[in-house]
């Protein structure tokens, strides 16, 4: 992919190697007894940091060469599963909880428990919440490499214009009856073409110039799941259990978000934000379409590169009827069960999950480390860029829900995208959507599909 | 860049009247609007590519990039191996184009001019394959390449397409059929074999259609994404579409690199088309019609 | 073929010699098509055969495939989404093909006369065909953004409010079709222009002596003589339209709702998002069958009305 250039003469070398069409076959050992490992990842903004870490690893292991294969999220799983079909998978790859159960069920991921034991890995160094997500009945599917939460990202100028400070933004609360201080703040941030706010007489809901908030997520991770946890909603009865999306607490959360759009007129409607066709969140903020949004820390880098310095910031999300809360998720590196080089792959896994490697990565401000003692490095890296990102850390320490664990992850995502887009267009009631999502997803779990 | 709509001079043989002139002006006006629509997305791509990263999203797409900056282009070359992607893609597209020119000429000649058992069923078999949706065949193709241990090599990118496509064979065969048979018959009487006829008669007379085939093949290969994405995974063989796709995140894309990259990636295609365009129209002219 | 007969038939050679010549021709022919035939069998036919086999299995690509007989086919007939996708595809074809063909024809007619700048126009109109789909999605999404897109900006300057193009179930498909018209009209025009240029000038001269007016000229002379070119363009464009994938993939990913889920995109979803490889294979066979029938009908229709020999 568009990976950063490592050798200035790469192009010439490539030309030379094609001339004879004699390039070595992928994945297997190259010349001189050097083992080639492929490491597949999906986040462009994290590639540089991981390359840095891998460089250190290669120096310590001159007999191992690591190729990072960057595949964008949109095609990542298609490529991964196709390569699984061809028994030609990357030796190591980023794994996500949405897909883990399906991959694990088919035995494509190495159980690392024995290696963890023989290499005497100190599991207590990792965040226990992360560890729990990736362990099931003594099977370890990967060592935690990072974590992420969702918090508020705001346009600083819009906030100042409305006379709201970032600290105030972080202490708002919402409820399902009058919307609470959260809706009051959003009303201040919402302006129609005549400069009127939604709580003023003569406000023109048909011509809103700037919305208070824009929410956008294909499955809910950056919007209604968060309102859900703030309202005491659980998406599932238990890990790998049945779906409970149509519980009162969850439906209320969806309803609240729909109300933000169509009752209070403070949130950008689905016509603007529905994925995948809507405008991208940084664009929405940059063009003052909305004053704030909820987003994951993995996108910080994009806000940094696409918005002028000092024009944006991070705050905690509001608290809901059940208190504060956010979605907490983390990735691991999975080791392909069919790798030709299990020993070397484990060495790379061990390195990437080590404190030394996680420090290299987190100190660049790329991603939070799964080892909590290193997280100050992430905060420091962003402080140097003028952004206080500690809200994400606070979120991780409070009430959280993890990513749902299910063997029907793709079926769930699919029906959520379809139904919730309708809800955000005000063409479907939250309850109807929740019922449909619950029954379709539970049917998929039952059929093992 | 918009073609200037000059008032046409009196170009018709009969010329003269105001009415005729007005009609010509209307045609020019409409053509110019069409031309503007055709290139507007390119203009905006270029415009945005010259905006500094910090104003790329906050300004409207049509706000002129003033002051223009080369920083995105320099970033494209300093942070990313743009030359490498171009070279890889050129190697793949060039090889496939060359192979298709040769093999398609062979096959098209056989289908157009040689009478042999099995010709009709074979030809219709080729045509039918044009109608098969290619998406799902990506999986079997991957299995085959994986079995041959060719995944992540140039061969995996080149082999499936280098021997020609049904579309190409169809196109060139139609053209060959329009070349007068007498020429060939005369040569045969003089003792020329198939090889000589191909080299001395068919190929020289078919330069236009071969230019067309070359352009179509090159452009299609250059722009193809899914197969290269599936089939390659390392630096040494990654092509430009795969590189550009990687800049698109789920919610946020690295537009300041993506847009200049897309603009740069278009240049070789425009060059190829300009090189061949006169041939192209002439060639197709002879294809469909006697 | 006629050439061979002419050569061999002219002289009264022995039957053995003729048979000998036939054998040689056959051998030569097969040598000539051998490379293409190899590529065709190895990388087109073999995958298609595997697809047919896959349609009898249930397979998520990771585990081992399970034989399910005709279950995928039964599912296809009861799956309302597959019919929806087929209807969407037909809708797309209906939006796309007439618009594209008529525009391309008008452009070709305009550019077929001697005029200044016709070469430049020709190049400019073909430029969209070369656009890289990956990058196109970003650009067109800008164009159609209801709040900051140039299209709604222009509409608002005229005093109207534009629709929410890509997030509207009504407008998303017309937008996809328009983008394709944008992309392929110039390419189609090239073929039609070539067809026009092949029409002998004498035909028009004769007609002008007979006092034929411009409209009559178009419908009585130009279009009938353009039929072979139109035929090629229609057959290949219709096949291409039924396989629409790229634009949907980069712009709407089938949404909003199911409104732009074309059959080929639905196949992609089933295969690569839901990992129902067997079912996706079954759907491909359905789409293949549909295209085959439509193409066959086109061949029948055109063959009746044209002197042009297509086989």
């Amino acid at each position: 992919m568009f990976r950063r250039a490592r050798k200035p003469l790469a192009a010439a070398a490539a030309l030379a190697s094609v001339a004879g069409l004699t390039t070595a076959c992928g994945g297997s050992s190259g010349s001189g007894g050097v083992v080639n490992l492929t490491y597949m990842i999906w986040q462009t903004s994290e590639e540089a940091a991981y390359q840095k870490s891998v460089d250190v690893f290669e120096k310590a292991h001159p007999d191992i060469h690591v190729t990072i294969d960057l595949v964008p999220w949109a095609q990542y799983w298609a490529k991964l599963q196709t390569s699984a079909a061809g028994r030609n998978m990357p030796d190591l790859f980023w794994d996500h909880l949405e897909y883990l159960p399906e991959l694990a069920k088919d035995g494509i991921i190495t159980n690392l428990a024995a290696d963890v034991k023989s290499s005497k890995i100190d599991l207590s160094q990792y965040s226990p919440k992360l560890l729990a997500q990736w362990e099931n009945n003594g099977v370890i599917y990967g060592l935690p490499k990072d974590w992420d939460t969702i918090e508020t990202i705001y346009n600083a100028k819009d906030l100042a214009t409305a006379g709201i400070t970032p600290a105030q933004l972080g202490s708002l609360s919402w409820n399902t009856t009058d919307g609470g201080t959260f809706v009051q703040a959003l009303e201040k941030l919402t302006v129609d073409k005549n400069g009127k706010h939604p709580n003023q007489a003569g406000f023109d809901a048909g011509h809103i110039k700037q919305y208070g908030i824009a929410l956008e997520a294909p499955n809910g991770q950056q919007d209604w799941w968060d309102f859900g946890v703030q309202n005491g909603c659980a998406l599932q009865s238990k890990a790998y259990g049945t779906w409970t999306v149509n519980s009162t607490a969850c439906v209320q959360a969806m309803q609240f978000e729909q109300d933000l759009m169509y009752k209070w007129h403070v949130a950008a409607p689905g016509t603007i934000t529905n994925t995948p066709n809507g405008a991208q969140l940084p664009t929405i903020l940059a063009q003052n379409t909305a004053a704030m949004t909820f987003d994951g820390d993995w996108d910080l880098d994009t806000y940094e590169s696409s918005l002028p310095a000092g024009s944006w910031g991070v705050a905690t999300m509001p608290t809901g009827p059940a208190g504060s809360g956010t979605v907490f998720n983390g990735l691991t590196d999975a080791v392909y069960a069919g790798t030709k080089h299990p020993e070397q792959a484990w060495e790379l896994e061990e390195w990437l999950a080590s404190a030394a490697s996680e420090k290299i990565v987190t100190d660049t401000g790329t991603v939070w480390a799964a080892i909590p003692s290193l997280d100050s490095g992430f905060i420091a890296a962003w402080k140097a860029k003028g952004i206080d990102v500690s809200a994400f850390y606070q979120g991780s320490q409070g009430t959280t829900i993890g990513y749902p664990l299910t063997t029907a992850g793709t079926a769930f995502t699919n029906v959520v995208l379809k139904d919730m887009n309708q809800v955000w267009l005000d063409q479907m009631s939250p309850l109807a959507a929740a019922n449909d999502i619950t029954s379709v997803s539970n049917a998929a779990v039952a059929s093992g599909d | 860049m918009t073609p200037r709509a000059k008032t046409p001079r009196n170009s018709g043989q009969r010329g003269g009247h105001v009415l005729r002139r007005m009609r010509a002006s209307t045609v020019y006006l409409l053509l110019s609007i069409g031309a503007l629509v055709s290139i507007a997305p390119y203009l905006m791509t270029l415009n945005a590519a010259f905006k500094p990263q910090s104003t790329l999203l906050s300004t409207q797409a049509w706000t002129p990039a003033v002051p223009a900056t080369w920083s995105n282009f320099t970033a494209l070359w300093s942070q990313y191996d743009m030359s490498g992607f171009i070279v890889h893609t050129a190697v793949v597209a060039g090889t496939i184009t060359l192979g298709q020119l040769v093999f398609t000429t062979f096959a098209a000649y056989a289908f157009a001019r040689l009478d042999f058992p099995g010709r009709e069923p074979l030809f219709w078999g080729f045509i039918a394959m044009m109608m098969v949706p290619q998406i799902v065949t990506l999986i079997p193709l991957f299995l085959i390449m994986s079995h041959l241990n060719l995944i992540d090599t140039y061969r995996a990118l080149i082999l499936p397409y280098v021997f020609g496509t049904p579309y190409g064979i169809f196109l060139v065969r139609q053209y060959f059929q329009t070349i007068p048979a007498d020429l060939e018959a005369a040569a045969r009487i003089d003792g020329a074999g198939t090889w000589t006829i191909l080299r001395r008669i068919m190929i020289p007379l078919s330069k236009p259609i071969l230019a067309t085939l070359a352009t179509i093949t090159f452009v299609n290969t250059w722009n193809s994404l899914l197969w290269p994405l599936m089939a390659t995974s390392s630096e040494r063989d990654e092509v430009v579409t795969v590189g550009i796709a990687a800049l698109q995140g789920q919610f946020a894309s690295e537009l300041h690199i993506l847009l200049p990259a897309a603009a740069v990636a278009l240049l070789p295609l425009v060059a190829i088309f300009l090189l061949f365009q006169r041939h192209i129209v002439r060639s197709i002219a002879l294809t469909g019609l006697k | 073929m006629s050439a061979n007969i002419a050569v061999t038939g002219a002289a009264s050679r022995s039957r053995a010699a003729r048979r000998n010549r036939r054998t040689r021709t056959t051998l030569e022919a097969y040598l000539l098509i051998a490379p293409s035939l190899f590529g065709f069998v190895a990388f087109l036919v073999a995958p298609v055969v595997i697809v047919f086999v896959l349609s009898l299995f249930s397979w998520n690509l990771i585990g081992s495939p399970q034989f399910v007989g005709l279950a995928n086919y039964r599912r296809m007939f009861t799956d309302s989404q597959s019919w929806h996708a087929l209807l969407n595809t037909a809708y797309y074809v209906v939006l796309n093909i007439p618009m594209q063909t008529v525009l391309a024809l008008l452009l070709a007619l305009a550019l077929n006369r001697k005029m200044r700048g016709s070469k430049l126009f020709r190049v400019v109109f073909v430029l969209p065909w070369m656009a890289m789909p990956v990058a196109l999605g970003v650009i067109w999404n800008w164009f159609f953004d209801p709040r900051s897109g140039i299209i709604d900006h222009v509409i608002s300057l005229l005093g109207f409010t534009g629709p929410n193009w890509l997030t509207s179930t009504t407008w998303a498909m017309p937008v996809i079709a328009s983008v394709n018209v944008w992309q392929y009209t110039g390419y189609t025009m090239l073929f039609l222009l070539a067809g026009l240029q092949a029409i002998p000038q004498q035909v028009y001269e004769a007609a002008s002596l007979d006092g034929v007016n411009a409209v009559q000229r178009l419908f009585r002379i130009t279009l009938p003589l353009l039929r072979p070119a139109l035929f090629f363009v229609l057959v290949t464009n219709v096949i291409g339209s039924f396989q629409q994938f790229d634009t949907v993939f980069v712009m709407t990913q089938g949404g909003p709702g199911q409104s732009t889920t074309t059959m080929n995109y639905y196949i992609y979803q089933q295969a690569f998002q839901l990992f129902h490889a067997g079912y996706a294979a079954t759907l491909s066979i359905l789409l293949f069958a549909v295209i085959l029938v439509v193409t066959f009908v086109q061949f029948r229709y055109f063959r009746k009305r044209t002197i042009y020999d297509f086989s």
Side-chain angles (χ1 to χ4, degrees):
Chain A
M1 319 301 119
F2 261 44
R3 78 176 40 91
R4 315 215 167 222
R6 292 176 74 194
K7 292 167 212 134
L9 290 176
L15 196 59
S17 71
V18 205
L21 282 179
T22 51
T23 36
C25 302
S28 56
S29 46
S31 55
V34 173
V35 166
N36 284 316
L37 294 178
T38 303
Y39 177 37
M40 191 156 124
I41 71 175
W42 67 70
Q43 190 80 0
T44 321
S45 56
E46 295 182 27
E47 192 193 9
Y50 278 97
Q51 188 61 58
K52 220 165 139 185
S53 161
V54 162
D55 287 345
V56 176
F57 174 78
E58 284 179 339
K59 205 159 276 174
H61 299 82
D63 54 338
I64 304 177
H65 176 75
V66 181
T67 301
I68 296 183
D69 183 14
L70 173 65
V71 182
W73 173 265
Q75 288 103 26
Y76 185 88
W77 301 98
K79 176 163 181 176
L80 192 78
Q81 302 221 185
T82 308
S83 54
R87 298 284 173 260
N88 211 328
M89 286 183 95
D91 305 279
L92 247 74
F93 55 90
W94 282 9
D95 199 359
H96 192 283
L97 287 172
E98 182 178 339
Y99 292 87
L100 166 76
E102 287 172 88
L103 298 172
K105 192 176 69 180
D106 286 303
I108 212 84
I109 301 173
T110 307
N111 175 7
L112 300 175
D115 292 311
V116 166
K117 208 170 162 198
S118 64
S119 298
K120 300 196 176 60
I121 306 286
D122 174 19
L123 290 178
S124 69
Q125 67 181 322
Y126 300 109
S127 151
K129 276 194 277 198
L130 286 172
L131 214 52
Q133 288 178 327
W134 294 94
E135 193 182 356
N136 190 19
N137 294 328
V139 179
I140 299 175
Y141 293 113
L143 293 175
K145 74 171 200 66
D146 63 16
W147 59 262
D148 53 73
T149 51
I150 312 298
E151 296 299 343
T152 303
I153 296 180
Y154 60 82
N155 179 317
K157 205 183 86 212
D158 297 342
L159 224 58
T161 309
I164 300 171
T165 66
Q168 285 170 327
L169 198 62
S171 58
L172 301 170
S173 66
W174 64 270
N175 62 59
T176 53
T177 47
D178 68 354
T181 53
F182 180 57
V183 168
Q184 285 167 19
L186 290 178
E187 283 174 336
K188 284 189 198 162
L189 290 165
T190 305
V191 192
D192 74 0
K193 62 172 184 182
N194 302 317
K196 287 211 164 19
H197 301 287
N199 51 345
Q200 291 176 327
F203 172 76
D204 182 357
H207 296 90
I208 297 177
K209 212 173 120 229
Q210 173 186 300
Y211 290 94
I213 191 168
L215 297 160
E216 184 172 330
N219 55 8
Q221 190 183 359
Q222 296 94 312
D223 56 355
W224 63 271
W225 295 4
D226 298 283
F227 288 129
V229 60
Q230 292 153 17
N231 195 40
C233 140
L235 299 170
Q236 290 174 294
S237 60
K238 62 177 199 296
Y240 299 100
T242 53
W243 293 92
T244 53
V245 175
N246 59 353
S247 66
T248 311
C250 297
V251 176
Q252 276 177 344
M254 293 177 183
Q255 184 67 57
F256 178 66
E257 185 171 341
Q258 199 192 40
D259 286 349
L260 288 179
M261 298 173 186
Y262 299 102
K263 182 177 168 192
W264 310 104
H265 302 293
V266 293
T271 49
I272 292 174
T273 55
N274 269 355
T275 59
N277 317 352
Q280 302 191 326
L281 287 175
T283 312
I284 286 176
L285 234 53
Q287 301 195 339
N288 302 92
T289 300
M292 59 185 257
T293 182
F294 295 164
D295 205 350
D297 49 70
W298 62 86
D299 275 337
L300 284 172
D301 200 65
T302 316
Y303 289 96
E304 163 77 11
S305 65
S306 52
L307 300 177
S311 70
W312 63 286
V314 177
T316 50
M317 283 191 291
T319 51
S324 67
T326 180
V327 180
F328 179 77
N329 188 29
L331 309 179
T332 62
D333 298 309
V335 175
Y336 171 41
T339 174
K340 290 185 190 116
H341 313 288
E343 271 172 51
Q344 288 85 349
W346 165 249
E347 280 182 76
L348 180 57
E349 168 87 23
E350 191 182 353
W351 161 253
L352 289 169
S354 69
S357 171
E358 293 200 1
K359 184 169 163 48
I360 292 174
V361 174
T362 206
D363 282 358
T364 60
T366 300
V367 72
W368 295 95
I371 298 170
S373 60
L374 299 172
D375 281 331
S376 55
F378 187 85
I379 295 178
W382 280 96
K383 193 155 271 172
K385 297 177 191 175
I387 307 283
D388 176 7
V389 296
S390 55
F392 289 102
Y393 185 75
Q394 285 171 39
S396 75
Q397 298 301 304
T399 309
T400 60
I401 48 164
Y403 212 92
L405 281 164
T406 174
T407 50
T410 48
F412 171 74
T413 303
N414 213 269
V415 65
V416 166
L417 179 65
K418 192 172 83 137
D419 286 354
M420 295 315 288
N421 271 355
Q422 300 257 78
V423 173
W424 308 143
L425 292 172
D426 205 15
Q427 289 166 359
M428 193 173 192
S429 78
L431 182 64
N435 282 333
D436 187 46
I437 291 166
T438 308
S439 65
V440 168
S441 307
N442 280 333
V445 171
S447 73
D449 202 9
Chain B
M1 282 234 20
T2 323
R4 273 151 291 165
K6 287 183 188 150
T7 318
R9 253 169 263 150
N10 193 359
S11 54
Q13 303 96 316
R14 264 159 278 162
H17 345 150
V18 183
L19 197 75
R20 189 167 282 274
R21 217 182 260 193
M22 266 172 60
R23 220 173 59 185
S25 312
T26 316
V27 169
Y28 266 108
L29 184 70
L30 291 175
L31 284 176
S32 301
I33 292 173
L36 188 67
V37 172
S38 291
I39 56 167
Y42 291 115
L43 293 181
M44 268 188 204
T45 308
L46 270 181
N47 185 41
F50 284 102
K51 285 182 187 178
Q53 203 180 345
S54 54
T55 63
L56 183 58
L57 292 185
S58 51
T59 55
Q60 305 287 32
W62 62 86
T63 316
V66 180
T69 168
W70 284 98
S71 64
N72 297 329
F73 289 90
T74 47
L76 180 60
W77 258 275
S78 64
Q79 295 174 21
Y80 300 89
D81 184 21
M82 187 65 187
S83 330
F85 304 134
I86 300 265
V87 169
H88 303 160
T89 321
V91 165
V92 173
T95 312
I96 289 179
T97 304
L98 215 66
Q100 282 208 16
L101 282 177
V102 175
F103 299 132
T104 303
T105 306
F106 287 176
Y109 177 75
F111 282 127
R113 285 297 166 81
L114 299 180
D115 184 21
F116 59 95
R119 184 177 77 166
E120 292 302 300
L122 271 176
F123 180 70
W124 287 106
F126 271 79
I127 297 300
M129 283 299 132
M130 223 161 78
M131 301 165 210
V132 175
Q134 297 299 312
I135 293 293
V136 166
T137 61
L138 285 179
I139 296 171
L141 201 55
F142 189 93
L143 297 182
I144 291 168
M145 288 299 173
S146 192
H147 189 73
L148 298 173
N149 221 352
L150 291 179
I151 291 303
D152 201 22
T153 67
Y154 277 97
R155 280 164 291 176
L157 298 181
I158 292 169
L159 278 176
Y161 305 104
V162 74
F163 297 108
T165 60
Y167 184 88
I169 291 171
F170 188 27
L171 191 72
V172 179
R173 170 187 173 266
Q174 295 306 114
Y175 188 91
F176 280 171
Q177 285 186 335
T178 64
I179 295 178
D182 318 355
L183 284 175
E184 204 181 323
R188 290 236 186 240
I189 288 170
D190 290 346
T194 300
W195 177 243
T196 316
I197 288 173
L198 256 178
R199 225 176 30 156
R200 296 270 168 80
I201 300 176
M202 302 310 272
I203 295 178
L205 283 176
S206 311
K207 274 186 190 147
I209 196 69
L210 297 180
T212 309
L213 179 68
T215 311
I216 294 176
T217 307
F218 197 87
V219 170
N220 286 344
T221 312
W222 190 272
N223 283 340
S224 76
L225 167 66
L226 277 181
W227 175 243
L229 186 101
M230 298 276 176
T232 62
S233 53
S234 58
E235 258 169 80
R236 62 169 184 271
D237 51 17
E238 63 202 8
V239 296
V240 73
T241 43
V242 176
I244 289 180
L247 296 168
Q248 288 188 306
Q250 200 179 359
F251 297 104
S253 304
E254 314 249 340
L255 289 183
H256 65 291
I257 300 293
L258 194 152
L259 296 173
V264 169
L266 181 73
L267 292 180
L269 302 184
V270 176
I272 294 260
F273 183 72
L274 286 179
L275 198 67
F276 289 136
Q277 70 105 4
R278 203 163 26 127
H279 287 305
I280 288 173
V281 171
R282 277 199 44 223
S283 77
I284 315 172
L286 296 166
T287 312
L289 302 161
K290 306 278 160 123
Chain C
M1 171 181 168
S2 52
N4 291 339
I5 292 167
V7 174
T8 48
S12 54
R13 301 222 177 114
S14 73
R15 195 170 283 180
R18 201 184 315 173
R19 191 179 303 138
N20 209 0
R21 170 134 191 85
R22 269 190 80 87
T23 318
R24 236 190 85 188
T25 306
T26 305
L27 195 70
E28 269 176 4
Y30 275 96
L31 272 177
L32 284 173
I33 61 169
S36 295
L37 197 60
F38 165 75
F40 177 69
V41 170
F43 305 114
L44 258 177
V45 177
V48 168
V49 170
I50 297 176
V51 165
F52 268 88
V53 174
L54 266 185
S55 73
L56 303 174
F57 285 82
S58 164
W59 190 31
N60 68 352
L61 297 176
I62 306 177
S64 35
Q66 305 288 319
F67 182 78
V68 294
L70 295 176
N72 285 328
Y73 289 87
R74 278 195 294 275
R75 175 173 169 190
M76 180 171 79
F77 286 106
T78 52
D79 175 8
S80 64
Q81 290 193 52
S82 73
W83 296 110
H84 195 161
L86 208 54
L87 279 178
N88 279 341
T89 309
Y91 180 44
Y92 167 77
V93 172
V94 167
L95 283 176
N96 183 46
I97 293 292
M99 207 167 18
Q100 181 178 320
T101 314
V102 169
L103 268 180
L105 185 62
L106 290 177
L107 280 184
L109 287 170
L111 290 183
N112 190 36
R113 12 147 138 227
K114 283 207 167 60
M115 58 185 278
R116 293 171 73 92
S118 69
K119 255 185 214 156
L120 182 61
F121 277 122
R122 198 186 288 164
V123 175
V124 167
F125 289 137
V126 178
L127 273 178
W129 166 60
M130 293 181 229
M132 196 175 271
V134 201
L136 256 188
V138 175
I139 311 290
W140 281 114
N141 282 337
W142 278 359
F143 270 70
F144 287 103
D145 187 303
R147 292 184 66 90
S148 59
I150 191 161
I151 290 176
D152 279 10
H153 184 70
V154 172
I155 292 176
S156 72
L157 288 180
L158 300 172
F160 300 98
T161 307
N164 299 297
W165 303 102
L166 287 169
T167 47
S168 145
T169 46
T170 317
W171 284 101
M173 189 61 105
V175 167
I176 295 285
S178 313
V179 167
N180 270 273
V181 168
W182 172 81
Q183 194 168 9
Y184 290 105
T185 296
Y187 180 71
T188 304
M189 175 218 44
L190 272 189
F191 286 84
L192 296 180
L193 183 59
L196 286 174
Q197 296 199 336
I199 297 176
Q201 202 56 43
Q202 298 95 299
V203 180
Y204 290 114
E205 280 160 15
S208 74
L209 288 179
D210 295 343
V212 170
N213 70 28
V215 177
Q216 286 171 326
R217 203 172 58 184
L218 175 67
F219 284 99
R220 297 217 186 133
I221 302 172
T222 309
L223 285 183
L225 286 174
L226 196 59
R227 210 168 244 158
L230 271 172
F231 173 70
F232 179 83
V233 156
L234 278 175
V235 167
T236 51
N237 280 353
V238 167
I239 291 176
S241 294
F242 268 100
Q243 298 183 3
Q244 163 55 245
F245 174 77
D246 281 358
T247 315
V248 169
F249 182 62
V250 299
M251 286 187 72
T252 62
Q253 293 173 24
Q258 262 225 95
S259 60
T260 58
T261 306
T262 56
M263 196 61 183
N264 220 8
Y265 191 76
Y266 187 54
I267 292 169
Y268 174 84
Q269 276 188 325
Q270 286 293 337
F272 295 112
Q273 289 180 354
L274 298 167
F275 305 108
H276 300 150
Y279 187 49
T282 314
L283 293 169
S284 316
I285 291 167
L286 172 68
L287 181 56
F288 174 52
V290 169
I291 297 176
L292 205 64
V293 168
V294 171
T295 309
F296 182 73
V297 169
Q298 281 178 291
F299 266 77
R300 287 295 294 269
Y301 178 84
F302 270 89
R303 202 177 240 176
K304 257 188 230 157
R305 287 164 179 76
T306 177
I307 42 153
Y308 178 68
D309 176 21
F310 224 87
S311 59

